Amino acid sequence: MTQTDNDLQERTVFDLRDLTSPVVGAPMAGGPSTPALVETTVRAGGLGLLAAGYLTSEKLADDIAATQATGTRVFGVNIFVPETRPTDRAAVSAFRSALVPFAAERDVVLPELDGLLDDDDHYDAKIDAVVEARVPVVTFTFGLPSATVVDRLHAIDTSIGVTVTSAADAAAAVTVGADWLCLQGPDGGGHRSTFDRYTTPPTQSLDDLIREVSATVDVPLVAAGGIATPERAHQIRALGVPTVQIGTALLRTAEAGTKLAHANALADPAFETTVLTRAYSGRIARGLRNRFIDTFDELAPAEYPAVNTLTGGIRRAAADDPHTINLWAGTGFREAREESSAETVARFA
Ligand SMILES: Cc1cc2nc3c(=O)[nH]c(=O)nc-3n(C[C@H](O)[C@H](O)[C@H](O)COP(=O)(O)O)c2cc1C
Protein backbone atom coordinates (compact mmCIF):
# COMPACT_ATOMS: atom_id res chain seq x y z
CA MET A 1 0.00 0.00 0.00
CA THR A 2 1.44 3.40 -0.90
CA GLN A 3 1.13 6.20 1.54
CA THR A 4 -0.92 9.11 0.18
CA ASP A 5 -0.76 12.73 1.30
CA ASN A 6 -4.14 12.12 2.81
CA ASP A 7 -2.79 9.30 4.98
CA LEU A 8 0.01 11.49 6.14
CA GLN A 9 -2.33 14.30 7.04
CA GLU A 10 -4.68 12.01 8.95
CA ARG A 11 -1.96 10.21 10.85
CA THR A 12 -0.98 11.83 14.13
CA VAL A 13 1.50 10.10 16.40
CA PHE A 14 -0.16 8.61 19.44
CA ASP A 15 0.60 10.43 22.68
CA LEU A 16 -0.45 9.03 26.05
CA ARG A 17 -1.21 12.54 27.19
CA ASP A 18 -4.03 12.75 24.63
CA LEU A 19 -6.12 9.96 26.21
CA THR A 20 -9.40 11.32 27.54
CA SER A 21 -9.41 8.49 30.10
CA PRO A 22 -5.84 7.89 31.31
CA VAL A 23 -6.25 4.13 31.37
CA VAL A 24 -4.48 1.42 29.36
CA GLY A 25 -6.26 -1.92 29.02
CA ALA A 26 -3.42 -4.41 29.52
CA PRO A 27 -2.61 -6.80 26.71
CA MET A 28 -3.55 -10.24 28.01
CA ALA A 29 -2.37 -13.15 25.90
CA GLY A 30 -4.05 -16.53 26.05
CA GLY A 31 -7.61 -15.33 25.39
CA PRO A 32 -8.63 -12.38 27.60
CA SER A 33 -7.65 -9.65 25.10
CA THR A 34 -10.16 -9.51 22.26
CA PRO A 35 -10.93 -6.98 19.52
CA ALA A 36 -14.17 -6.22 21.43
CA LEU A 37 -12.23 -5.44 24.62
CA VAL A 38 -9.89 -3.16 22.69
CA GLU A 39 -12.77 -1.42 20.92
CA THR A 40 -14.67 -0.79 24.17
CA THR A 41 -11.56 0.43 26.00
CA VAL A 42 -10.79 2.89 23.20
CA ARG A 43 -14.40 4.09 23.00
CA ALA A 44 -14.26 4.73 26.75
CA GLY A 45 -11.30 7.05 26.14
CA GLY A 46 -8.48 4.66 27.07
CA LEU A 47 -5.84 2.79 25.09
CA GLY A 48 -6.68 -0.81 24.18
CA LEU A 49 -3.93 -3.30 23.37
CA LEU A 50 -4.28 -6.58 21.49
CA ALA A 51 -2.03 -9.36 22.77
CA ALA A 52 0.06 -10.98 20.03
CA GLY A 53 1.71 -13.49 22.37
CA TYR A 54 1.31 -17.18 21.40
CA LEU A 55 -0.70 -16.33 18.26
CA THR A 56 0.27 -17.12 14.69
CA SER A 57 0.94 -14.00 12.65
CA GLU A 58 -2.16 -14.83 10.58
CA LYS A 59 -4.37 -14.84 13.70
CA LEU A 60 -2.79 -11.57 14.80
CA ALA A 61 -3.54 -10.02 11.40
CA ASP A 62 -7.15 -11.23 11.75
CA ASP A 63 -7.45 -9.66 15.22
CA ILE A 64 -6.01 -6.38 13.93
CA ALA A 65 -8.45 -6.40 10.98
CA ALA A 66 -11.36 -7.23 13.30
CA THR A 67 -10.41 -4.32 15.56
CA GLN A 68 -10.10 -1.92 12.62
CA ALA A 69 -13.44 -3.17 11.26
CA THR A 70 -15.12 -1.81 14.40
CA GLY A 71 -13.95 1.66 13.38
CA THR A 72 -11.28 1.69 16.09
CA ARG A 73 -8.27 3.60 14.80
CA VAL A 74 -6.00 4.35 17.73
CA PHE A 75 -5.13 1.07 19.40
CA GLY A 76 -2.06 -1.04 20.00
CA VAL A 77 -0.53 -4.49 19.73
CA ASN A 78 1.75 -6.06 22.33
CA ILE A 79 4.50 -8.36 21.07
CA PHE A 80 6.77 -10.73 23.01
CA VAL A 81 10.46 -10.29 22.21
CA PRO A 82 11.99 -13.74 21.63
CA GLU A 83 14.61 -15.27 23.90
CA THR A 84 18.21 -14.96 22.76
CA ARG A 85 19.72 -17.66 24.96
CA PRO A 86 19.51 -21.26 23.76
CA THR A 87 17.09 -23.65 25.44
CA ASP A 88 18.52 -26.02 28.04
CA ARG A 89 17.51 -29.31 26.43
CA ALA A 90 18.27 -31.48 29.46
CA ALA A 91 16.24 -29.28 31.80
CA VAL A 92 13.22 -29.35 29.48
CA SER A 93 13.55 -33.10 29.04
CA ALA A 94 13.53 -33.66 32.81
CA PHE A 95 10.43 -31.52 33.26
CA ARG A 96 8.76 -33.30 30.34
CA SER A 97 9.32 -36.61 32.12
CA ALA A 98 7.83 -35.22 35.32
CA LEU A 99 4.70 -34.14 33.42
CA VAL A 100 4.14 -37.41 31.54
CA PRO A 101 1.95 -39.18 34.16
CA PHE A 102 -0.13 -36.04 34.76
CA ALA A 103 -0.65 -35.63 31.01
CA ALA A 104 -1.48 -39.32 30.51
CA GLU A 105 -4.23 -39.14 33.15
CA ARG A 106 -5.83 -36.48 30.94
CA ASP A 107 -5.22 -38.36 27.67
CA VAL A 108 -2.72 -35.73 26.56
CA VAL A 109 0.35 -36.67 24.55
CA LEU A 110 3.14 -34.21 25.30
CA PRO A 111 5.03 -32.67 22.38
CA GLU A 112 8.43 -34.14 21.53
CA LEU A 113 11.50 -32.29 22.72
CA ASP A 114 12.78 -31.33 19.27
CA GLY A 115 9.64 -29.33 18.56
CA LEU A 116 10.17 -27.20 21.65
CA LEU A 117 13.61 -25.78 21.16
CA ASP A 118 13.48 -23.02 18.52
CA ASP A 119 10.34 -21.01 19.13
CA ASP A 120 10.49 -17.27 18.47
CA ASP A 121 6.70 -16.76 18.69
CA HIS A 122 6.73 -15.73 14.97
CA TYR A 123 8.35 -12.44 15.97
CA ASP A 124 9.44 -11.23 12.51
CA ALA A 125 6.10 -12.06 10.91
CA LYS A 126 4.29 -10.24 13.72
CA ILE A 127 6.42 -7.14 13.17
CA ASP A 128 5.55 -7.38 9.46
CA ALA A 129 1.84 -7.66 10.37
CA VAL A 130 1.78 -4.52 12.54
CA VAL A 131 3.77 -2.57 9.95
CA GLU A 132 1.51 -3.75 7.13
CA ALA A 133 -1.61 -2.73 9.09
CA ARG A 134 0.05 0.50 10.25
CA VAL A 135 -0.94 -0.15 13.86
CA PRO A 136 -0.53 3.17 15.71
CA VAL A 137 0.92 1.75 18.95
CA VAL A 138 3.18 -1.27 19.45
CA THR A 139 4.45 -2.39 22.84
CA PHE A 140 7.15 -4.93 23.66
CA THR A 141 7.43 -7.34 26.57
CA PHE A 142 10.34 -9.58 27.67
CA GLY A 143 12.97 -7.50 25.89
CA LEU A 144 13.86 -4.65 23.58
CA PRO A 145 13.19 -4.21 19.86
CA SER A 146 16.26 -3.93 17.62
CA ALA A 147 17.22 -0.63 16.00
CA THR A 148 15.87 -1.98 12.70
CA VAL A 149 12.46 -2.71 14.21
CA VAL A 150 12.39 0.66 15.97
CA ASP A 151 13.20 2.41 12.67
CA ARG A 152 10.50 0.49 10.77
CA LEU A 153 7.87 1.43 13.33
CA HIS A 154 8.95 5.04 13.64
CA ALA A 155 8.97 5.36 9.84
CA ILE A 156 5.19 4.82 9.90
CA ASP A 157 4.73 7.07 12.97
CA THR A 158 3.95 4.17 15.28
CA SER A 159 4.43 4.92 18.96
CA ILE A 160 6.61 2.37 20.74
CA GLY A 161 6.06 1.34 24.37
CA VAL A 162 8.25 -1.07 26.34
CA THR A 163 7.26 -2.89 29.55
CA VAL A 164 10.03 -2.73 32.15
CA THR A 165 10.49 -3.96 35.71
CA SER A 166 13.58 -1.98 36.76
CA ALA A 167 15.17 1.44 36.36
CA ALA A 168 18.10 -0.10 34.47
CA ASP A 169 15.76 -1.67 31.90
CA ALA A 170 13.85 1.63 31.68
CA ALA A 171 17.04 3.46 30.74
CA ALA A 172 17.94 0.79 28.19
CA ALA A 173 14.47 1.01 26.60
CA VAL A 174 14.71 4.78 26.22
CA THR A 175 18.16 4.40 24.69
CA VAL A 176 16.83 2.12 21.92
CA GLY A 177 14.04 4.57 21.14
CA ALA A 178 11.00 3.74 23.28
CA ASP A 179 8.49 6.60 23.16
CA TRP A 180 6.96 5.61 26.49
CA LEU A 181 7.35 2.98 29.17
CA CYS A 182 5.03 0.71 31.08
CA LEU A 183 6.47 0.30 34.58
CA GLN A 184 5.39 -3.09 35.88
CA GLY A 185 5.45 -3.60 39.62
CA PRO A 186 5.58 -6.94 41.47
CA ASP A 187 1.88 -7.23 42.35
CA GLY A 188 0.60 -7.56 38.78
CA GLY A 189 -1.05 -10.58 37.22
CA GLY A 190 0.61 -12.63 34.50
CA HIS A 191 4.26 -12.60 33.48
CA ARG A 192 6.90 -10.22 34.75
CA SER A 193 8.58 -8.49 31.84
CA THR A 194 12.20 -9.16 32.80
CA PHE A 195 14.53 -9.04 29.78
CA ASP A 196 16.30 -12.26 30.81
CA ARG A 197 14.23 -15.32 31.68
CA TYR A 198 16.79 -16.48 34.27
CA THR A 199 16.53 -13.23 36.26
CA THR A 200 14.57 -13.31 39.48
CA PRO A 201 12.12 -10.43 38.94
CA PRO A 202 12.68 -7.36 41.10
CA THR A 203 10.61 -7.07 44.27
CA GLN A 204 10.89 -3.26 44.32
CA SER A 205 7.41 -1.82 44.93
CA LEU A 206 5.62 -0.12 42.07
CA ASP A 207 5.71 3.17 43.99
CA ASP A 208 9.49 3.00 44.40
CA LEU A 209 9.96 1.96 40.78
CA ILE A 210 7.92 5.00 39.71
CA ARG A 211 9.99 7.30 41.93
CA GLU A 212 13.29 5.93 40.66
CA VAL A 213 12.37 5.94 36.97
CA SER A 214 10.65 9.35 37.08
CA ALA A 215 13.87 10.85 38.38
CA THR A 216 15.99 9.34 35.62
CA VAL A 217 14.05 9.15 32.34
CA ASP A 218 12.17 11.74 30.37
CA VAL A 219 9.45 9.85 28.44
CA PRO A 220 5.79 9.43 29.48
CA LEU A 221 5.17 6.58 31.92
CA VAL A 222 2.33 4.14 32.49
CA ALA A 223 2.09 2.30 35.81
CA ALA A 224 0.96 -1.33 36.06
CA GLY A 225 0.72 -4.06 38.63
CA GLY A 226 -1.88 -4.56 41.33
CA ILE A 227 -3.87 -1.45 40.43
CA ALA A 228 -7.19 -3.00 41.36
CA THR A 229 -9.24 -0.07 42.66
CA PRO A 230 -9.83 3.55 41.64
CA GLU A 231 -8.33 4.55 45.00
CA ARG A 232 -5.07 2.82 44.11
CA ALA A 233 -5.09 4.54 40.70
CA HIS A 234 -5.47 7.83 42.55
CA GLN A 235 -2.41 7.06 44.71
CA ILE A 236 -0.39 6.29 41.58
CA ARG A 237 -1.44 9.57 39.99
CA ALA A 238 -0.34 11.41 43.13
CA LEU A 239 3.17 10.09 42.40
CA GLY A 240 3.08 11.95 39.09
CA VAL A 241 2.08 9.15 36.70
CA PRO A 242 -1.37 9.94 35.30
CA THR A 243 -1.88 6.78 33.21
CA VAL A 244 -2.58 3.41 34.81
CA GLN A 245 -2.59 0.02 33.08
CA ILE A 246 -5.13 -2.47 34.38
CA GLY A 247 -5.21 -6.17 33.61
CA THR A 248 -6.86 -8.26 36.30
CA ALA A 249 -9.58 -5.61 36.78
CA LEU A 250 -10.72 -6.36 33.20
CA LEU A 251 -10.68 -10.16 33.38
CA ARG A 252 -14.34 -10.57 34.39
CA THR A 253 -15.71 -7.90 32.05
CA ALA A 254 -18.20 -8.73 29.32
CA GLU A 255 -15.79 -8.08 26.46
CA ALA A 256 -12.84 -10.07 27.81
CA GLY A 257 -12.28 -13.56 26.41
CA THR A 258 -11.22 -15.00 29.77
CA LYS A 259 -11.96 -18.71 30.17
CA LEU A 260 -15.03 -19.23 32.37
CA ALA A 261 -13.10 -21.34 34.89
CA HIS A 262 -10.53 -18.53 35.22
CA ALA A 263 -13.13 -15.76 35.58
CA ASN A 264 -15.07 -17.77 38.16
CA ALA A 265 -11.97 -18.63 40.20
CA LEU A 266 -11.26 -14.91 40.69
CA ALA A 267 -14.44 -14.69 42.75
CA ASP A 268 -14.32 -18.16 44.31
CA PRO A 269 -13.47 -18.18 48.05
CA ALA A 270 -11.67 -21.50 47.50
CA PHE A 271 -8.90 -19.55 45.76
CA GLU A 272 -7.37 -17.44 48.47
CA THR A 273 -4.08 -16.10 47.25
CA THR A 274 -1.79 -15.42 44.32
CA VAL A 275 1.76 -16.76 43.95
CA LEU A 276 4.67 -16.31 41.58
CA THR A 277 5.49 -19.44 39.60
CA ARG A 278 7.43 -20.78 36.64
CA ALA A 279 5.25 -23.92 36.56
CA TYR A 280 3.25 -23.11 33.43
CA SER A 281 5.66 -21.32 31.13
CA GLY A 282 9.16 -21.31 32.60
CA ARG A 283 8.94 -17.55 33.09
CA ILE A 284 7.87 -16.08 36.41
CA ALA A 285 4.19 -15.12 36.43
CA ARG A 286 1.63 -14.32 39.11
CA GLY A 287 -1.54 -16.38 39.33
CA LEU A 288 -4.06 -17.83 41.76
CA ARG A 289 -2.47 -20.66 43.71
CA ASN A 290 -3.88 -24.01 42.57
CA ARG A 291 -2.95 -27.70 42.58
CA PHE A 292 -0.93 -27.54 39.34
CA ILE A 293 1.31 -24.87 40.84
CA ASP A 294 1.62 -26.77 44.11
CA THR A 295 2.67 -29.90 42.19
CA PHE A 296 5.00 -28.47 39.55
CA ASP A 297 6.34 -25.13 40.76
CA GLU A 298 9.56 -26.52 42.16
CA LEU A 299 10.15 -28.81 39.17
CA ALA A 300 9.72 -26.32 36.33
CA PRO A 301 12.96 -24.94 34.84
CA ALA A 302 13.33 -21.35 33.62
CA GLU A 303 13.01 -22.57 30.02
CA TYR A 304 10.49 -20.23 28.46
CA PRO A 305 8.93 -20.71 25.92
CA ALA A 306 9.60 -24.47 25.83
CA VAL A 307 7.81 -25.07 29.15
CA ASN A 308 4.86 -22.99 27.96
CA THR A 309 4.46 -25.15 24.85
CA LEU A 310 5.00 -28.31 26.90
CA THR A 311 2.12 -27.52 29.27
CA GLY A 312 -0.12 -26.04 26.56
CA GLY A 313 -1.83 -29.30 25.56
CA ILE A 314 -2.63 -30.14 29.18
CA ARG A 315 -4.16 -26.71 29.69
CA ARG A 316 -6.24 -26.97 26.52
CA ALA A 317 -7.50 -30.44 27.50
CA ALA A 318 -8.47 -29.28 30.99
CA ALA A 319 -9.84 -25.84 30.11
CA ASP A 320 -12.69 -26.22 32.62
CA ASP A 321 -10.48 -27.26 35.53
CA PRO A 322 -9.23 -24.31 37.60
CA HIS A 323 -6.71 -26.57 39.33
CA THR A 324 -5.00 -27.37 36.02
CA ILE A 325 -5.16 -24.18 33.92
CA ASN A 326 -3.19 -21.03 34.67
CA LEU A 327 -5.29 -18.48 36.55
CA TRP A 328 -3.15 -15.36 36.01
CA ALA A 329 -4.17 -12.68 38.49
CA GLY A 330 -2.74 -9.71 40.32
CA THR A 331 -2.89 -9.40 44.09
CA GLY A 332 -6.06 -7.30 43.87
CA PHE A 333 -7.99 -10.05 42.06
CA ARG A 334 -10.94 -9.97 44.43
CA GLU A 335 -11.83 -6.48 43.19
CA ALA A 336 -12.41 -7.66 39.60
CA ARG A 337 -16.04 -7.04 38.68
CA GLU A 338 -18.51 -8.53 36.27
CA GLU A 339 -19.39 -5.41 34.30
CA SER A 340 -18.81 -3.83 30.90
CA SER A 341 -15.17 -2.91 30.32
CA ALA A 342 -16.47 0.59 29.50
CA GLU A 343 -17.59 0.82 33.13
CA THR A 344 -14.25 -0.49 34.36
CA VAL A 345 -12.31 2.07 32.33
CA ALA A 346 -14.63 4.84 33.52
CA ARG A 347 -14.13 3.80 37.16
CA PHE A 348 -10.33 3.97 36.83
CA ALA A 349 -10.26 7.15 34.70
C1 LIG B 1 -4.32 -12.98 32.13
C2 LIG B 1 -3.17 -12.04 31.93
C3 LIG B 1 -2.45 -12.10 30.74
C4 LIG B 1 -1.38 -11.20 30.52
N1 LIG B 1 -0.73 -11.22 29.32
C5 LIG B 1 0.18 -10.25 29.04
C6 LIG B 1 0.72 -10.10 27.73
O1 LIG B 1 0.38 -10.83 26.81
N2 LIG B 1 1.64 -9.11 27.53
C7 LIG B 1 2.02 -8.25 28.53
O2 LIG B 1 2.82 -7.36 28.29
N3 LIG B 1 1.50 -8.36 29.77
C8 LIG B 1 0.58 -9.32 30.04
N4 LIG B 1 0.03 -9.37 31.29
C9 LIG B 1 0.47 -8.41 32.31
C10 LIG B 1 -0.29 -7.09 32.15
O3 LIG B 1 0.18 -6.38 31.02
C11 LIG B 1 -0.11 -6.15 33.37
O4 LIG B 1 1.24 -5.92 33.61
C12 LIG B 1 -0.77 -6.68 34.60
O5 LIG B 1 -2.00 -7.25 34.30
C13 LIG B 1 -0.97 -5.55 35.58
O6 LIG B 1 -1.31 -6.01 36.84
P1 LIG B 1 -2.84 -6.30 37.29
O7 LIG B 1 -3.20 -7.58 36.62
O8 LIG B 1 -2.75 -6.40 38.75
O9 LIG B 1 -3.69 -5.16 36.79
C14 LIG B 1 -1.03 -10.27 31.53
C15 LIG B 1 -1.76 -10.23 32.72
C16 LIG B 1 -2.82 -11.09 32.92
C17 LIG B 1 -3.60 -10.99 34.21
Side-chain angles (χ1 to χ4, degrees):
M1 191 170 64
T2 53
Q3 203 176 27
T4 63
D5 289 349
N6 201 27
D7 281 335
L8 287 172
Q9 275 166 14
E10 281 181 21
R11 180 102 166 166
T12 50
V13 181
F14 169 80
D15 189 321
L16 277 172
R17 291 161 286 206
D18 294 338
L19 293 175
T20 53
S21 300
V23 177
V24 177
M28 293 188 282
S33 288
T34 61
L37 182 60
V38 171
E39 178 201 0
T40 314
T41 303
V42 172
R43 270 188 209 278
L47 173 67
L49 297 171
L50 290 171
Y54 320 132
L55 301 182
T56 61
S57 58
E58 291 79 12
K59 171 69 170 121
L60 173 61
D62 287 350
D63 281 0
I64 292 170
T67 305
Q68 290 171 330
T70 65
T72 308
R73 294 176 50 131
V74 181
F75 67 99
V77 168
N78 171 254
I79 299 179
F80 291 160
V81 177
E83 301 293 320
T84 49
R85 301 219 229 175
T87 308
D88 181 339
R89 194 185 167 96
V92 177
S93 177
F95 188 52
R96 186 182 184 284
S97 301
L99 282 172
V100 165
F102 188 88
E105 278 171 28
R106 288 154 186 81
D107 290 330
V108 173
V109 179
L110 294 173
E112 292 303 325
L113 208 52
D114 286 340
L116 299 170
L117 302 179
D118 300 308
D119 177 3
D120 71 353
D121 202 33
H122 315 290
Y123 182 73
D124 292 341
K126 285 176 183 176
I127 298 295
D128 289 346
V130 294
V131 170
E132 170 73 18
R134 305 187 73 220
V135 174
V137 180
V138 173
T139 69
F140 293 92
T141 293
F142 301 151
L144 296 172
S146 67
T148 311
V149 168
V150 168
D151 288 348
R152 282 184 78 191
L153 293 172
H154 279 165
I156 55 166
D157 283 343
T158 289
S159 170
I160 300 175
V162 175
T163 306
V164 298
T165 60
S166 70
D169 288 356
V174 172
T175 301
V176 302
D179 299 298
W180 55 278
L181 302 175
C182 173
L183 306 184
Q184 190 198 45
D187 297 330
H191 288 101
R192 300 301 311 281
S193 180
T194 50
F195 292 178
D196 177 344
R197 67 177 185 266
Y198 295 117
T199 309
T200 302
T203 54
Q204 182 182 36
S205 72
L206 177 59
D207 298 41
D208 284 347
L209 180 62
I210 289 171
R211 288 188 194 98
E212 192 179 351
V213 175
S214 305
T216 49
V217 310
D218 204 17
V219 296
L221 304 175
V222 172
I227 304 174
T229 62
E231 293 70 31
R232 180 68 182 132
H234 186 72
Q235 288 171 359
I236 297 289
R237 291 183 178 123
L239 295 171
V241 175
T243 314
V244 295
Q245 176 164 311
I246 52 172
T248 303
L250 291 167
L251 282 174
R252 303 184 74 220
T253 62
E255 294 79 13
T258 314
K259 289 184 188 74
L260 192 61
H262 184 178
N264 287 343
L266 295 166
D268 182 344
F271 293 92
E272 295 176 342
T273 183
T274 63
V275 288
L276 292 169
T277 185
R278 292 188 190 272
Y280 287 105
S281 73
R283 263 189 175 273
I284 295 273
R286 184 178 292 284
L288 296 177
R289 182 177 171 184
N290 64 3
R291 286 201 284 274
F292 187 91
I293 294 175
D294 285 346
T295 311
F296 293 110
D297 179 61
E298 286 183 6
L299 300 173
E303 294 308 319
Y304 175 88
V307 170
N308 190 62
T309 311
L310 198 51
T311 64
I314 295 172
R315 290 180 281 149
R316 280 188 294 278
D320 298 335
D321 176 9
H323 280 288
T324 301
I325 62 171
N326 52 297
L327 307 168
W328 296 151
T331 53
F333 65 94
R334 219 48 116 197
E335 304 288 341
R337 294 190 188 171
E338 269 186 313
E339 61 188 356
S340 159
S341 52
E343 292 174 75
T344 317
V345 173
R347 285 196 294 118
F348 283 82

